[in-house]
């Protein structure tokens, strides 16, 4: 296997990945494997169905939060007041309908690119990977089922939810398959760019969460540092000529594309067109700048 694309989880931040994928298409960089967690699983599956970059971009720009999931006062009250039975804080049937409408699962079966998505078995605590021959809409719903907010889903009578709890950046399959070149798309700047110390309780909480998002990626590469130049800081868009991220391990070149700014808690569930446009543009610009030294 020559090339692998790894897509992290991060809710509505997944629009950033669309911009990266657009740039990769422009330079004719085609992966042999796409592996994704949570929203990365949905984008990976969309790629496997043959959805074009324009189609994927339009999908992200068209569907706001109410077409993804519904949060109403009665749902919240039922969830918070129930002590004997769990009720999720939202109704995700709109998302299931959206995926069924736009993702042609039959095309996924024909994909010449290997597609792997992750889900976490709630009973065993084990991560399971599903390939393009097994993935159905229920698998994508399980892969993106954020605990508490969304309901878990059953696959072969086993309950699954978002594997981002344990493996938010699923690079291990690409390493195990001996990929020669891996591009990992992170949805957080933490770990990639030096951060300032938090000053407020909210900033502390955000930094803790961002460390949680990057933890599995860092631990997957225990013997090497992949951080950028320690003197680099976060930057607002438009991006400066920020240093690229690169790591070589056992003959594998790993290049990481990441946001250069903190996106905040609100970005996780902000499916507005405005944020989608912003993150798609940032993803494209970040990829163009951070990958340019490798693909001239």
């Amino acid at each position: 296997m020559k090339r692998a694309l790894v897509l992290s989880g991060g809710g509505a931040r997944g629009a950033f990945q669309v911009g990266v994928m657009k740039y990769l298409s422009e330079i004719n960089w085609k992966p042999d494997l796409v592996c994704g967690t949570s929203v990365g699983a949905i984008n990976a599956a969309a790629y496997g169905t043959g959805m074009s970059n324009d189609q994927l971009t339009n999908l992200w720009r068209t569907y706001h939060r109410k077409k993804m999931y519904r949060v109403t006062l009665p749902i919240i009250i039922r969830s918070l007041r129930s002590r004997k039975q769990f009720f999720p804080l939202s109704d995700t049937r709109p998302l299931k309908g959206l995926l069924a409408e736009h993702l042609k699962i039959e095309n996924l079966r024909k994909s010449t690119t290997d597609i792997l998505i992750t889900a976490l078995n709630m009973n065993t605590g084990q991560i399971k990977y599903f390939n393009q021959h097994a993935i159905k809409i229920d698998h994508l719903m399980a892969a993106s089922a954020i605990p508490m907010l969304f309901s878990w889903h059953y696959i072969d009578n086993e309950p699954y939810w978002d594997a981002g709890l344990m493996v938010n950046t699923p690079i291990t399959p690409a390493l195990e398959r001996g990929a020669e070149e891996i591009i990992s798309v992170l949805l957080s700047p933490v770990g990639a760019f030096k951060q300032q110390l938090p000053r407020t309780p909210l900033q502390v909480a955000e930094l803790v969460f961002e460390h949680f998002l990057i933890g599995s990626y860092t631990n997957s590469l225990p013997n090497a540092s992949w951080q950028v130049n320690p003197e680099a800081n976060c930057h607002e868009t438009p991006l400066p000529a920020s240093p690229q991220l690169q790591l070589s391990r056992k003959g594998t070149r790993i290049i990481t594309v990441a946001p250069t700014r903190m996106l905040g808690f609100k970005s996780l569930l902000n499916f507005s067109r405005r944020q989608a446009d912003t993150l798609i543009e940032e993803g494209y610009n970040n990829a163009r700048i951070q990958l340019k030294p490798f693909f001239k």
Side-chain angles (χ1 to χ4, degrees):
M1 176 180 294
K2 291 187 177 181
R3 293 173 169 175
L5 178 64
V6 179
L7 304 176
S8 302
R13 297 179 185 179
F16 181 89
Q17 296 170 349
V18 178
V20 176
M21 294 163 73
K22 179 181 178 181
Y23 178 75
L24 293 178
S25 177
E26 287 186 4
I27 65 172
N28 201 32
W29 192 93
K30 297 180 180 180
D32 302 299
L33 166 69
V34 183
C35 191
T37 289
S38 196
V39 70
I42 293 176
N43 283 335
Y47 181 92
T49 65
M51 185 177 288
S52 69
N53 288 303
D54 287 342
Q55 289 174 318
L56 188 55
T57 297
N58 185 61
L59 185 64
W60 272 91
R61 297 178 72 243
T62 302
Y63 290 92
H64 53 77
R65 190 267 299 169
K66 291 183 179 179
K67 291 189 177 181
M68 301 280 185
Y69 62 94
R70 286 193 292 264
V71 179
T72 63
L73 185 59
I75 291 176
I76 293 174
I77 292 175
R78 182 184 66 172
S79 178
L80 296 179
R81 293 182 63 180
S82 177
R83 297 185 179 182
K84 295 183 179 180
Q85 182 178 354
F86 168 73
F87 293 102
L89 288 168
S90 66
D91 176 5
T92 56
R93 284 177 294 181
L95 175 59
K96 187 172 184 178
L98 184 151
L99 294 177
E101 178 183 358
H102 291 278
L103 267 62
K104 299 184 183 301
I105 297 298
E106 63 273 16
N107 290 349
L108 190 59
R109 307 281 179 260
K110 306 172 187 176
S111 175
T112 56
T113 301
D114 287 338
I115 307 295
L116 287 178
I117 69 170
T118 64
L120 175 58
N121 188 310
M122 297 171 64
N123 286 337
T124 65
Q126 299 295 311
I127 300 295
K128 188 164 185 177
Y129 293 86
F130 299 94
N131 65 22
Q132 69 269 27
H133 302 295
I135 297 170
K136 300 177 182 178
I137 297 300
D138 281 341
H139 292 74
L140 296 176
M141 293 299 295
S144 58
I146 302 172
M148 296 298 293
L149 182 63
F150 300 159
S151 176
W152 56 78
H153 286 260
Y154 285 88
I155 301 174
D156 297 329
N157 297 318
E158 290 286 331
Y160 288 87
W161 61 13
D162 195 328
L165 291 169
M166 297 179 67
V167 57
N168 197 55
T169 305
I171 193 173
T172 301
L175 292 172
E176 291 182 345
R177 293 186 179 201
E180 297 175 10
E181 186 171 75
I182 302 172
I183 293 180
S184 293
V185 185
L186 308 183
L187 297 180
S188 171
V190 173
F193 294 93
K194 185 177 180 180
Q195 303 297 307
Q196 296 180 348
L197 287 177
R199 295 183 177 181
T200 68
L202 179 59
Q203 289 176 344
V204 170
E206 288 181 342
L207 185 57
V208 169
F209 179 76
E210 303 298 333
H211 281 158
F212 164 76
L213 287 182
I214 200 62
S216 65
Y217 189 56
T218 299
N219 290 327
S220 295
L221 307 170
N223 298 320
S225 173
W226 55 272
Q227 189 181 36
V228 298
N229 185 328
E231 300 303 317
N233 292 312
C234 297
H235 300 282
E236 300 292 339
T237 302
L239 297 171
S242 55
Q244 70 279 5
L245 310 172
Q246 181 185 15
L247 167 68
S248 295
R249 180 188 179 191
K250 297 181 180 179
T252 299
R253 182 167 74 169
I254 302 172
I255 310 168
T256 308
V257 179
T260 57
R261 64 184 178 94
M262 292 286 279
L263 300 177
F265 282 133
K266 292 183 179 180
S267 66
L268 294 167
L269 297 175
N270 180 6
F271 289 94
S272 68
R273 178 170 180 168
R274 181 177 180 179
Q275 173 167 288
D277 284 341
T278 298
L279 291 182
I280 290 171
E281 181 180 2
E282 288 189 24
Y284 180 88
N285 287 334
N286 282 28
R288 175 177 56 82
I289 292 171
Q290 297 174 11
L291 298 179
K292 186 176 180 179
F294 305 105
F295 307 107
K296 296 180 180 180

